[in-house]
PDB file of all heavy atoms in Angstrom:
ATOM      1  N   ALA A 763      -6.790  12.266   6.342  1.00  0.00           N
ATOM      2  CA  ALA A 763      -8.226  12.557   6.271  1.00  0.00           C
ATOM      3  C   ALA A 763      -9.048  11.290   6.070  1.00  0.00           C
ATOM      4  O   ALA A 763     -10.244  11.262   6.407  1.00  0.00           O
ATOM      5  CB  ALA A 763      -8.495  13.545   5.132  1.00  0.00           C
ATOM      6  N   LYS A 764      -8.440  10.239   5.538  1.00  0.00           N
ATOM      7  CA  LYS A 764      -9.154   8.990   5.270  1.00  0.00           C
ATOM      8  C   LYS A 764      -8.953   7.946   6.366  1.00  0.00           C
ATOM      9  O   LYS A 764      -9.330   6.782   6.174  1.00  0.00           O
ATOM     10  CB  LYS A 764      -8.671   8.407   3.932  1.00  0.00           C
ATOM     11  CG  LYS A 764      -8.943   9.288   2.723  1.00  0.00           C
ATOM     12  CD  LYS A 764     -10.428   9.413   2.425  1.00  0.00           C
ATOM     13  CE  LYS A 764     -10.679  10.215   1.161  1.00  0.00           C
ATOM     14  NZ  LYS A 764     -12.128  10.355   0.866  1.00  0.00           N
ATOM     15  N   VAL A 765      -8.353   8.323   7.488  1.00  0.00           N
ATOM     16  CA  VAL A 765      -8.077   7.340   8.546  1.00  0.00           C
ATOM     17  C   VAL A 765      -9.344   6.627   9.011  1.00  0.00           C
ATOM     18  O   VAL A 765      -9.348   5.389   9.148  1.00  0.00           O
ATOM     19  CB  VAL A 765      -7.343   8.018   9.721  1.00  0.00           C
ATOM     20  CG1 VAL A 765      -7.393   7.145  10.976  1.00  0.00           C
ATOM     21  CG2 VAL A 765      -5.901   8.275   9.350  1.00  0.00           C
ATOM     22  N   PRO A 766     -10.476   7.313   9.277  1.00  0.00           N
ATOM     23  CA  PRO A 766     -11.688   6.563   9.657  1.00  0.00           C
ATOM     24  C   PRO A 766     -12.126   5.566   8.594  1.00  0.00           C
ATOM     25  O   PRO A 766     -12.557   4.458   8.927  1.00  0.00           O
ATOM     26  CB  PRO A 766     -12.733   7.674   9.865  1.00  0.00           C
ATOM     27  CG  PRO A 766     -11.938   8.897  10.182  1.00  0.00           C
ATOM     28  CD  PRO A 766     -10.698   8.775   9.358  1.00  0.00           C
ATOM     29  N   ALA A 767     -12.000   5.948   7.314  1.00  0.00           N
ATOM     30  CA  ALA A 767     -12.367   5.014   6.246  1.00  0.00           C
ATOM     31  C   ALA A 767     -11.401   3.834   6.186  1.00  0.00           C
ATOM     32  O   ALA A 767     -11.809   2.697   5.916  1.00  0.00           O
ATOM     33  CB  ALA A 767     -12.390   5.746   4.898  1.00  0.00           C
ATOM     34  N   ILE A 768     -10.110   4.070   6.449  1.00  0.00           N
ATOM     35  CA  ILE A 768      -9.131   2.976   6.464  1.00  0.00           C
ATOM     36  C   ILE A 768      -9.457   2.004   7.597  1.00  0.00           C
ATOM     37  O   ILE A 768      -9.406   0.773   7.410  1.00  0.00           O
ATOM     38  CB  ILE A 768      -7.709   3.543   6.628  1.00  0.00           C
ATOM     39  CG1 ILE A 768      -7.331   4.373   5.393  1.00  0.00           C
ATOM     40  CG2 ILE A 768      -6.698   2.420   6.821  1.00  0.00           C
ATOM     41  CD1 ILE A 768      -5.989   5.087   5.527  1.00  0.00           C
ATOM     42  N   GLU A 769      -9.789   2.539   8.778  1.00  0.00           N
ATOM     43  CA  GLU A 769     -10.145   1.665   9.896  1.00  0.00           C
ATOM     44  C   GLU A 769     -11.375   0.830   9.570  1.00  0.00           C
ATOM     45  O   GLU A 769     -11.443  -0.355   9.926  1.00  0.00           O
ATOM     46  CB  GLU A 769     -10.389   2.514  11.145  1.00  0.00           C
ATOM     47  CG  GLU A 769      -9.126   3.204  11.660  1.00  0.00           C
ATOM     48  CD  GLU A 769      -9.407   4.217  12.750  1.00  0.00           C
ATOM     49  OE1 GLU A 769     -10.590   4.601  12.902  1.00  0.00           O
ATOM     50  OE2 GLU A 769      -8.462   4.629  13.422  1.00  0.00           O
ATOM     51  N   SER A 770     -12.331   1.428   8.898  1.00  0.00           N
ATOM     52  CA  SER A 770     -13.521   0.676   8.515  1.00  0.00           C
ATOM     53  C   SER A 770     -13.186  -0.403   7.488  1.00  0.00           C
ATOM     54  O   SER A 770     -13.661  -1.539   7.587  1.00  0.00           O
ATOM     55  CB  SER A 770     -14.575   1.637   7.949  1.00  0.00           C
ATOM     56  OG  SER A 770     -15.696   0.918   7.457  1.00  0.00           O
ATOM     57  N   ALA A 771     -12.348  -0.077   6.503  1.00  0.00           N
ATOM     58  CA  ALA A 771     -12.004  -1.051   5.468  1.00  0.00           C
ATOM     59  C   ALA A 771     -11.185  -2.209   6.019  1.00  0.00           C
ATOM     60  O   ALA A 771     -11.359  -3.357   5.599  1.00  0.00           O
ATOM     61  CB  ALA A 771     -11.235  -0.359   4.342  1.00  0.00           C
ATOM     62  N   LEU A 772     -10.294  -1.927   6.968  1.00  0.00           N
ATOM     63  CA  LEU A 772      -9.465  -2.981   7.541  1.00  0.00           C
ATOM     64  C   LEU A 772     -10.171  -3.745   8.656  1.00  0.00           C
ATOM     65  O   LEU A 772      -9.667  -4.775   9.115  1.00  0.00           O
ATOM     66  CB  LEU A 772      -8.164  -2.390   8.097  1.00  0.00           C
ATOM     67  CG  LEU A 772      -7.240  -1.716   7.079  1.00  0.00           C
ATOM     68  CD1 LEU A 772      -5.994  -1.177   7.777  1.00  0.00           C
ATOM     69  CD2 LEU A 772      -6.842  -2.699   5.981  1.00  0.00           C
ATOM     70  N   GLY A 773     -11.310  -3.235   9.112  1.00  0.00           N
ATOM     71  CA  GLY A 773     -12.049  -3.915  10.167  1.00  0.00           C
ATOM     72  C   GLY A 773     -11.414  -3.799  11.533  1.00  0.00           C
ATOM     73  O   GLY A 773     -11.542  -4.706  12.362  1.00  0.00           O
ATOM     74  N   THR A 774     -10.719  -2.687  11.821  1.00  0.00           N
ATOM     75  CA  THR A 774     -10.059  -2.498  13.108  1.00  0.00           C
ATOM     76  C   THR A 774     -10.983  -1.735  14.060  1.00  0.00           C
ATOM     77  O   THR A 774     -12.052  -1.259  13.674  1.00  0.00           O
ATOM     78  CB  THR A 774      -8.747  -1.728  12.943  1.00  0.00           C
ATOM     79  OG1 THR A 774      -9.045  -0.376  12.522  1.00  0.00           O
ATOM     80  CG2 THR A 774      -7.869  -2.384  11.893  1.00  0.00           C
ATOM     81  N   ARG A 775     -10.531  -1.606  15.301  1.00  0.00           N
ATOM     82  CA  ARG A 775     -11.267  -0.788  16.258  1.00  0.00           C
ATOM     83  C   ARG A 775     -11.023   0.693  15.947  1.00  0.00           C
ATOM     84  O   ARG A 775     -10.009   1.041  15.337  1.00  0.00           O
ATOM     85  CB  ARG A 775     -10.798  -1.094  17.681  1.00  0.00           C
ATOM     86  CG  ARG A 775      -9.327  -0.856  17.899  1.00  0.00           C
ATOM     87  CD  ARG A 775      -8.887  -1.199  19.319  1.00  0.00           C
ATOM     88  NE  ARG A 775      -7.450  -1.064  19.459  1.00  0.00           N
ATOM     89  CZ  ARG A 775      -6.806   0.074  19.653  1.00  0.00           C
ATOM     90  NH1 ARG A 775      -7.493   1.202  19.740  1.00  0.00           N
ATOM     91  NH2 ARG A 775      -5.505   0.107  19.766  1.00  0.00           N
ATOM     92  N   PRO A 776     -11.927   1.583  16.337  1.00  0.00           N
ATOM     93  CA  PRO A 776     -11.692   3.016  16.110  1.00  0.00           C
ATOM     94  C   PRO A 776     -10.441   3.491  16.839  1.00  0.00           C
ATOM     95  O   PRO A 776     -10.202   3.134  17.986  1.00  0.00           O
ATOM     96  CB  PRO A 776     -12.953   3.672  16.693  1.00  0.00           C
ATOM     97  CG  PRO A 776     -13.992   2.602  16.675  1.00  0.00           C
ATOM     98  CD  PRO A 776     -13.264   1.309  16.893  1.00  0.00           C
ATOM     99  N   GLY A 777      -9.629   4.282  16.154  1.00  0.00           N
ATOM    100  CA  GLY A 777      -8.411   4.804  16.736  1.00  0.00           C
ATOM    101  C   GLY A 777      -7.219   3.876  16.645  1.00  0.00           C
ATOM    102  O   GLY A 777      -6.204   4.119  17.298  1.00  0.00           O
ATOM    103  N   ALA A 778      -7.305   2.819  15.833  1.00  0.00           N
ATOM    104  CA  ALA A 778      -6.213   1.843  15.756  1.00  0.00           C
ATOM    105  C   ALA A 778      -5.185   2.185  14.688  1.00  0.00           C
ATOM    106  O   ALA A 778      -4.108   1.592  14.664  1.00  0.00           O
ATOM    107  CB  ALA A 778      -6.772   0.448  15.489  1.00  0.00           C
ATOM    108  N   VAL A 779      -5.488   3.114  13.784  1.00  0.00           N
ATOM    109  CA  VAL A 779      -4.598   3.406  12.660  1.00  0.00           C
ATOM    110  C   VAL A 779      -3.851   4.710  12.921  1.00  0.00           C
ATOM    111  O   VAL A 779      -4.457   5.712  13.330  1.00  0.00           O
ATOM    112  CB  VAL A 779      -5.393   3.496  11.334  1.00  0.00           C
ATOM    113  CG1 VAL A 779      -4.494   3.935  10.193  1.00  0.00           C
ATOM    114  CG2 VAL A 779      -6.026   2.150  11.014  1.00  0.00           C
ATOM    115  N   ARG A 780      -2.541   4.685  12.713  1.00  0.00           N
ATOM    116  CA  ARG A 780      -1.685   5.873  12.820  1.00  0.00           C
ATOM    117  C   ARG A 780      -1.019   6.097  11.470  1.00  0.00           C
ATOM    118  O   ARG A 780      -0.633   5.145  10.794  1.00  0.00           O
ATOM    119  CB  ARG A 780      -0.591   5.692  13.872  1.00  0.00           C
ATOM    120  CG  ARG A 780      -1.075   5.046  15.160  1.00  0.00           C
ATOM    121  CD  ARG A 780      -1.715   6.069  16.065  1.00  0.00           C
ATOM    122  NE  ARG A 780      -1.978   5.496  17.364  1.00  0.00           N
ATOM    123  CZ  ARG A 780      -3.140   4.971  17.738  1.00  0.00           C
ATOM    124  NH1 ARG A 780      -4.147   4.955  16.871  1.00  0.00           N
ATOM    125  NH2 ARG A 780      -3.317   4.476  18.944  1.00  0.00           N
ATOM    126  N   VAL A 781      -0.860   7.341  11.104  1.00  0.00           N
ATOM    127  CA  VAL A 781      -0.216   7.704   9.833  1.00  0.00           C
ATOM    128  C   VAL A 781       0.865   8.726  10.117  1.00  0.00           C
ATOM    129  O   VAL A 781       0.596   9.753  10.769  1.00  0.00           O
ATOM    130  CB  VAL A 781      -1.237   8.261   8.810  1.00  0.00           C
ATOM    131  CG1 VAL A 781      -0.528   8.675   7.538  1.00  0.00           C
ATOM    132  CG2 VAL A 781      -2.297   7.213   8.503  1.00  0.00           C
ATOM    133  N   GLU A 782       2.086   8.443   9.652  1.00  0.00           N
ATOM    134  CA  GLU A 782       3.211   9.365   9.814  1.00  0.00           C
ATOM    135  C   GLU A 782       3.836   9.616   8.453  1.00  0.00           C
ATOM    136  O   GLU A 782       3.988   8.692   7.645  1.00  0.00           O
ATOM    137  CB  GLU A 782       4.265   8.785  10.768  1.00  0.00           C
ATOM    138  CG  GLU A 782       3.779   8.583  12.185  1.00  0.00           C
ATOM    139  CD  GLU A 782       4.866   8.028  13.081  1.00  0.00           C
ATOM    140  OE1 GLU A 782       6.047   8.077  12.663  1.00  0.00           O
ATOM    141  OE2 GLU A 782       4.550   7.547  14.178  1.00  0.00           O
ATOM    142  N   SER A 783       4.198  10.861   8.206  1.00  0.00           N
ATOM    143  CA  SER A 783       4.821  11.202   6.933  1.00  0.00           C
ATOM    144  C   SER A 783       6.260  10.739   6.893  1.00  0.00           C
ATOM    145  O   SER A 783       6.895  10.540   7.935  1.00  0.00           O
ATOM    146  CB  SER A 783       4.751  12.716   6.711  1.00  0.00           C
ATOM    147  OG  SER A 783       5.456  13.395   7.740  1.00  0.00           O
ATOM    148  N   ASP A 784       6.776  10.575   5.691  1.00  0.00           N
ATOM    149  CA  ASP A 784       8.175  10.207   5.484  1.00  0.00           C
ATOM    150  C   ASP A 784       8.967  11.496   5.293  1.00  0.00           C
ATOM    151  O   ASP A 784       8.730  12.229   4.324  1.00  0.00           O
ATOM    152  CB  ASP A 784       8.310   9.303   4.251  1.00  0.00           C
ATOM    153  CG  ASP A 784       9.717   8.748   4.098  1.00  0.00           C
ATOM    154  OD1 ASP A 784      10.645   9.319   4.688  1.00  0.00           O
ATOM    155  OD2 ASP A 784       9.881   7.743   3.384  1.00  0.00           O
ATOM    156  N   PRO A 785       9.900  11.815   6.187  1.00  0.00           N
ATOM    157  CA  PRO A 785      10.628  13.086   6.057  1.00  0.00           C
ATOM    158  C   PRO A 785      11.427  13.204   4.769  1.00  0.00           C
ATOM    159  O   PRO A 785      11.728  14.308   4.331  1.00  0.00           O
ATOM    160  CB  PRO A 785      11.557  13.096   7.282  1.00  0.00           C
ATOM    161  CG  PRO A 785      10.969  12.118   8.235  1.00  0.00           C
ATOM    162  CD  PRO A 785      10.311  11.074   7.390  1.00  0.00           C
ATOM    163  N   SER A 786      11.764  12.081   4.155  1.00  0.00           N
ATOM    164  CA  SER A 786      12.614  12.112   2.968  1.00  0.00           C
ATOM    165  C   SER A 786      11.840  12.114   1.665  1.00  0.00           C
ATOM    166  O   SER A 786      12.434  12.319   0.605  1.00  0.00           O
ATOM    167  CB  SER A 786      13.570  10.913   2.975  1.00  0.00           C
ATOM    168  OG  SER A 786      12.840   9.688   2.928  1.00  0.00           O
ATOM    169  N   HIS A 787      10.508  11.889   1.710  1.00  0.00           N
ATOM    170  CA  HIS A 787       9.754  11.801   0.465  1.00  0.00           C
ATOM    171  C   HIS A 787       8.309  12.197   0.739  1.00  0.00           C
ATOM    172  O   HIS A 787       7.640  11.600   1.589  1.00  0.00           O
ATOM    173  CB  HIS A 787       9.814  10.371  -0.092  1.00  0.00           C
ATOM    174  CG  HIS A 787       9.437  10.268  -1.553  1.00  0.00           C
ATOM    175  ND1 HIS A 787       8.169  10.497  -2.000  1.00  0.00           N
ATOM    176  CD2 HIS A 787      10.182   9.976  -2.655  1.00  0.00           C
ATOM    177  CE1 HIS A 787       8.127  10.336  -3.312  1.00  0.00           C
ATOM    178  NE2 HIS A 787       9.354  10.018  -3.727  1.00  0.00           N
ATOM    179  N   ALA A 788       7.820  13.186   0.012  1.00  0.00           N
ATOM    180  CA  ALA A 788       6.456  13.677   0.236  1.00  0.00           C
ATOM    181  C   ALA A 788       5.400  12.700  -0.265  1.00  0.00           C
ATOM    182  O   ALA A 788       4.237  12.815   0.116  1.00  0.00           O
ATOM    183  CB  ALA A 788       6.270  15.036  -0.451  1.00  0.00           C
ATOM    184  N   GLY A 789       5.799  11.759  -1.118  1.00  0.00           N
ATOM    185  CA  GLY A 789       4.840  10.809  -1.675  1.00  0.00           C
ATOM    186  C   GLY A 789       4.810   9.480  -0.960  1.00  0.00           C
ATOM    187  O   GLY A 789       4.234   8.520  -1.474  1.00  0.00           O
ATOM    188  N   ARG A 790       5.442   9.392   0.223  1.00  0.00           N
ATOM    189  CA  ARG A 790       5.437   8.148   0.999  1.00  0.00           C
ATOM    190  C   ARG A 790       5.018   8.448   2.426  1.00  0.00           C
ATOM    191  O   ARG A 790       5.208   9.559   2.925  1.00  0.00           O
ATOM    192  CB  ARG A 790       6.814   7.487   0.991  1.00  0.00           C
ATOM    193  CG  ARG A 790       7.209   6.885  -0.345  1.00  0.00           C
ATOM    194  CD  ARG A 790       8.324   5.863  -0.156  1.00  0.00           C
ATOM    195  NE  ARG A 790       9.524   6.466   0.372  1.00  0.00           N
ATOM    196  CZ  ARG A 790      10.599   6.744  -0.350  1.00  0.00           C
ATOM    197  NH1 ARG A 790      10.605   6.481  -1.646  1.00  0.00           N
ATOM    198  NH2 ARG A 790      11.677   7.277   0.210  1.00  0.00           N
ATOM    199  N   CYS A 791       4.492   7.452   3.091  1.00  0.00           N
ATOM    200  CA  CYS A 791       4.111   7.585   4.494  1.00  0.00           C
ATOM    201  C   CYS A 791       4.151   6.211   5.146  1.00  0.00           C
ATOM    202  O   CYS A 791       4.199   5.183   4.461  1.00  0.00           O
ATOM    203  CB  CYS A 791       2.722   8.222   4.645  1.00  0.00           C
ATOM    204  SG  CYS A 791       1.377   7.214   4.015  1.00  0.00           S
ATOM    205  N   THR A 792       4.113   6.212   6.463  1.00  0.00           N
ATOM    206  CA  THR A 792       4.083   4.978   7.240  1.00  0.00           C
ATOM    207  C   THR A 792       2.722   4.855   7.907  1.00  0.00           C
ATOM    208  O   THR A 792       2.279   5.771   8.596  1.00  0.00           O
ATOM    209  CB  THR A 792       5.187   4.971   8.308  1.00  0.00           C
ATOM    210  OG1 THR A 792       6.462   5.075   7.665  1.00  0.00           O
ATOM    211  CG2 THR A 792       5.145   3.682   9.109  1.00  0.00           C
ATOM    212  N   MET A 793       2.077   3.734   7.673  1.00  0.00           N
ATOM    213  CA  MET A 793       0.778   3.464   8.295  1.00  0.00           C
ATOM    214  C   MET A 793       0.968   2.362   9.334  1.00  0.00           C
ATOM    215  O   MET A 793       1.483   1.285   9.026  1.00  0.00           O
ATOM    216  CB  MET A 793      -0.254   3.028   7.265  1.00  0.00           C
ATOM    217  CG  MET A 793      -1.632   2.739   7.856  1.00  0.00           C
ATOM    218  SD  MET A 793      -2.874   2.316   6.614  1.00  0.00           S
ATOM    219  CE  MET A 793      -2.265   0.715   6.064  1.00  0.00           C
ATOM    220  N   ARG A 794       0.573   2.650  10.558  1.00  0.00           N
ATOM    221  CA  ARG A 794       0.700   1.683  11.653  1.00  0.00           C
ATOM    222  C   ARG A 794      -0.691   1.283  12.127  1.00  0.00           C
ATOM    223  O   ARG A 794      -1.538   2.156  12.389  1.00  0.00           O
ATOM    224  CB  ARG A 794       1.502   2.284  12.798  1.00  0.00           C
ATOM    225  CG  ARG A 794       1.732   1.340  13.963  1.00  0.00           C
ATOM    226  CD  ARG A 794       2.736   1.921  14.950  1.00  0.00           C
ATOM    227  NE  ARG A 794       2.917   1.079  16.105  1.00  0.00           N
ATOM    228  CZ  ARG A 794       3.677   0.003  16.151  1.00  0.00           C
ATOM    229  NH1 ARG A 794       4.340  -0.368  15.066  1.00  0.00           N
ATOM    230  NH2 ARG A 794       3.795  -0.712  17.247  1.00  0.00           N
ATOM    231  N   VAL A 795      -0.917  -0.023  12.230  1.00  0.00           N
ATOM    232  CA  VAL A 795      -2.206  -0.566  12.657  1.00  0.00           C
ATOM    233  C   VAL A 795      -1.980  -1.335  13.953  1.00  0.00           C
ATOM    234  O   VAL A 795      -1.191  -2.291  13.986  1.00  0.00           O
ATOM    235  CB  VAL A 795      -2.813  -1.487  11.587  1.00  0.00           C
ATOM    236  CG1 VAL A 795      -4.165  -2.012  12.043  1.00  0.00           C
ATOM    237  CG2 VAL A 795      -2.955  -0.749  10.263  1.00  0.00           C
ATOM    238  N   LEU A 796      -2.641  -0.914  15.012  1.00  0.00           N
ATOM    239  CA  LEU A 796      -2.473  -1.518  16.332  1.00  0.00           C
ATOM    240  C   LEU A 796      -3.619  -2.482  16.609  1.00  0.00           C
ATOM    241  O   LEU A 796      -4.781  -2.069  16.690  1.00  0.00           O
ATOM    242  CB  LEU A 796      -2.430  -0.445  17.415  1.00  0.00           C
ATOM    243  CG  LEU A 796      -1.247   0.527  17.355  1.00  0.00           C
ATOM    244  CD1 LEU A 796      -1.398   1.596  18.425  1.00  0.00           C
ATOM    245  CD2 LEU A 796       0.064  -0.207  17.517  1.00  0.00           C
ATOM    246  N   ALA A 797      -3.280  -3.761  16.740  1.00  0.00           N
ATOM    247  CA  ALA A 797      -4.289  -4.736  17.130  1.00  0.00           C
ATOM    248  C   ALA A 797      -4.551  -4.677  18.625  1.00  0.00           C
ATOM    249  O   ALA A 797      -5.649  -4.975  19.096  1.00  0.00           O
ATOM    250  CB  ALA A 797      -3.832  -6.140  16.719  1.00  0.00           C
TER     251      ALA A 797
END
């Protein structure tokens, strides 16, 4: 839900941030930033 805010904070282009959950842990995730 915070992906647009993350893109703004990191100064990336819109749509550059991807978030994937960690199947083994509900409290972890992978954030991918595409330059």
Side-chain angles (χ1 to χ4, degrees):
K764 298 293 184 181
V765 164
I768 294 174
E769 293 170 344
S770 175
L772 297 180
T774 67
R775 59 181 175 81
V779 174
R780 317 278 189 264
V781 178
E782 296 181 15
S783 61
D784 187 341
S786 62
H787 198 292
R790 289 199 297 257
C791 66
T792 300
M793 180 177 69
R794 182 170 177 80
V795 181
L796 296 176

